[in-house]
Amino acid sequence: MNAPWKPGGIAHREPFTAYVCDEITAEALRPIASELGWAVEKIHKGGLRNAIQSLSVSASPQILFVDLAESGDPLNDINALAEVCEPGTVVIAAGQVNDVRLYRDLVASGIQDYLLKPLHPDMLREAFGHAQTILNAPKHVEVSPDRPHCSIAVIGTRGGVGASTIATSVAWLLADKEDRATALLDLDVHFGTGALGLDLEPGRGLTDAIDNPSRIDGLFIERAMVKASEKLSVLSAEAPINTPLITDGSAFYQLQEEMRSAFECTVVDLPRAMLIQHPHLISEVRLAVIVTELTLAAARDTIRILSWMKTNAPQTQLFVLANRVHAGGQLEINRKDFEGSIERKIDYLVPFDQKLAAQAAKLGKPIVEVGKTSKTIAPILTLVTALASVVPDASADGAKAKGKSLMGKFGDLKGLIPKRAAKTK
């Protein structure tokens, strides 16, 4: 359900409220709350369930502490809390489950921190101090609706040509090297690797969007995107493979629309099957990278996709990139013959580097980050420079446009989380 409308900005809310499951936790909180000038009467019993019930009919506080000790499904319950909690609230959770995966999932869902019980005074002081820093931080400037948006589709002509690797690398370079707020949208709903390639949990945002397209708005984007870095956010999925994808594609189109207003660049990892089923997805895309390989089958499908793009997306500027190119003697088709078949030049040729690919996979990083000095990534760097130059930063004084920071439903949390994490099992 949608959270009920409750008037009043965050500055007019209660500074602090807590919902705990036991007296020991309440006793740990009371002296710290008193130190910070907060009313100890705002420490209630009942844990997360009571928090959801109470906040569905009352204003959310600036800082909310919730005890997950009695929750059978903490991640699902936190998402239920987000439905009734107003934007801007900083949420700190506590529980007894000592699992780093749970910690990451909870942080990805938008909370500030997850504290492992029993609670210690210094632990609470640090968490609450950080929450106050977030509340007092200056707000980021919204992306100007008048600035040009760099929308890029990456399409593989065949499975296994490395289109997802290229898409992740392009998104990472736009964010890290071009300093643009960038969204990576991986539309392979069942087998996408957008999050996996960046060592992230994909979350449920993409599948939720498919199930409920009417809920997609700016706030949904803020909640659903998983932040990979200060400038790069990802929307990917690992939907159960026994669940067919049933959609008319409207959710994907709406996601792209919302991302255009929240980011400076959007990179869409667009499976070729999705392109055929939902051709409207390419209607607003300005640039497309066709990723192929030097094989007979890839030549055939490159011809077909280029022809399809010419008919269905004449507004889109195309770049052809041959990926995973082996040494000359191992080629199925040489470059000259391939270009003759597709009747155009290959714009970029990326050499095959198994060692670099394996290292990047082990580290959970893009190959362009791992192989900074490798000749393999030089063509990808050149490609991104070309893509960025097509849609330059728009600012009267030439300064970089600043992207909208992603905020979880609860507030501007990600990227400000303390470096410490929950202990591993």
Side-chain angles (χ1 to χ4, degrees):
M1 67 175 182
N2 293 323
W5 183 82
K6 289 171 275 191
I10 190 162
H12 303 290
R13 304 182 201 170
E14 290 288 344
F16 166 78
T17 304
Y19 295 89
V20 302
C21 295
D22 55 79
E23 183 59 28
I24 294 175
T25 303
E27 288 180 357
L29 282 170
R30 287 186 187 113
I32 307 302
S34 296
E35 282 181 21
L36 296 169
W38 297 334
V40 295
E41 293 79 13
K42 293 297 179 180
I43 301 173
H44 307 288
K45 292 292 181 65
L48 183 57
R49 181 174 298 178
N50 189 26
I52 294 171
Q53 292 175 348
S54 299
L55 295 175
S56 66
V57 294
S58 63
S60 306
Q62 294 180 3
I63 298 173
L64 175 64
F65 180 95
V66 289
D67 191 340
L68 307 181
E70 296 177 355
S71 174
D73 187 350
L75 188 59
N76 188 57
D77 289 344
I78 280 291
N79 286 330
L81 176 65
E83 294 292 341
V84 299
C85 197
E86 293 170 280
T89 295
V90 179
V91 177
I92 299 168
Q96 297 169 322
V97 179
N98 188 4
D99 184 351
V100 71
R101 177 180 284 269
L102 174 63
Y103 172 87
R104 289 173 177 170
D105 287 345
L106 288 171
V107 167
S109 74
I111 73 167
Q112 177 204 333
D113 207 353
Y114 173 71
L115 308 179
L116 192 62
K117 297 171 70 173
L119 304 175
H120 302 290
D122 288 343
M123 178 195 304
L124 290 169
R125 288 189 186 97
E126 180 183 354
F128 289 137
H130 193 70
Q132 289 178 315
T133 299
I134 291 170
L135 289 169
N136 295 327
K139 303 305 178 187
H140 293 274
V141 178
E142 298 282 332
V143 170
S144 168
D146 298 324
R147 62 93 176 91
H149 181 83
C150 183
S151 54
I152 302 163
V154 180
I155 305 163
T157 58
R158 305 285 300 169
V161 298
S164 293
T165 297
I166 296 299
T168 304
S169 296
V170 167
W172 187 87
L173 286 169
L174 285 169
D176 188 75
K177 302 303 181 187
E178 297 293 332
D179 196 32
R180 301 199 192 183
T182 302
L184 172 60
L185 175 58
D186 184 350
L187 291 185
D188 188 342
V189 179
H190 292 96
F191 300 102
T193 57
L196 182 65
L198 294 165
D199 195 25
L200 300 170
E201 293 294 332
R204 300 188 301 187
L206 184 52
T207 51
D208 286 348
I210 296 168
D211 293 337
N212 301 286
S214 62
R215 292 184 56 193
I216 300 171
D217 56 16
L219 184 59
F220 180 91
I221 293 295
E222 290 171 0
R223 284 189 57 204
M225 301 293 289
V226 179
K227 200 154 190 180
S229 67
E230 182 183 353
K231 290 282 187 176
L232 177 61
S233 298
V234 182
L235 190 58
S236 186
E238 292 174 10
I241 59 176
N242 60 349
T243 305
L245 179 62
I246 303 174
T247 175
D248 61 0
S250 61
F252 305 135
Y253 186 79
Q254 287 176 255
L255 285 170
Q256 287 177 278
E257 285 289 300
E258 292 296 334
M259 287 178 180
R260 266 190 281 276
S261 63
F263 297 90
E264 295 172 84
C265 300
T266 302
V267 178
V268 183
D269 186 350
L270 187 57
R272 58 179 182 164
M274 193 75 75
L275 182 71
I276 296 165
Q277 291 170 355
H278 308 294
H280 59 282
L281 296 181
I282 204 76
S283 62
E284 299 295 329
V285 172
R286 185 166 180 179
L287 307 165
V289 180
I290 310 301
V291 181
T292 189
E293 62 185 1
L294 300 187
T295 64
L296 181 62
R300 180 200 69 180
D301 291 339
T302 301
I303 294 168
R304 298 167 79 191
I305 290 174
L306 288 173
S307 176
W308 187 96
M309 293 292 292
K310 183 177 180 179
T311 301
N312 295 275
Q315 82 288 347
T316 304
Q317 183 174 343
L318 302 179
F319 299 83
V320 175
L321 180 146
N323 193 34
R324 300 168 60 88
V325 178
H326 292 269
Q330 302 176 40
L331 293 177
E332 189 173 317
I333 302 178
N334 64 40
R335 179 173 183 171
K336 182 179 179 181
D337 290 342
F338 190 96
E339 291 176 334
S341 297
I342 67 172
E343 297 182 343
R344 65 160 287 166
K345 293 288 186 182
I346 293 172
D347 299 296
Y348 304 96
L349 192 147
V350 180
F352 182 66
D353 189 336
Q354 179 60 45
K355 183 177 179 180
L356 176 59
Q359 186 181 9
K362 290 176 182 178
L363 295 174
K365 295 181 179 181
I367 60 170
V368 288
E369 181 181 6
V370 175
K372 292 180 179 179
T373 59
S374 169
K375 292 181 180 179
T376 299
I377 72 162
I380 307 175
L381 291 168
T382 307
L383 166 66
V384 171
T385 300
L387 293 170
S389 67
V390 173
V391 186
D393 290 327
S395 178
D397 59 3
K400 292 278 187 181
K402 296 298 180 182
K404 174 183 178 182
S405 69
L406 280 183
M407 296 195 301
K409 170 73 179 257
F410 304 115
D412 193 359
L413 312 179
K414 298 172 187 172
L416 294 171
I417 297 161
K419 295 300 182 183
R420 62 178 179 79
K423 297 177 182 177
T424 54
K425 294 180 181 179

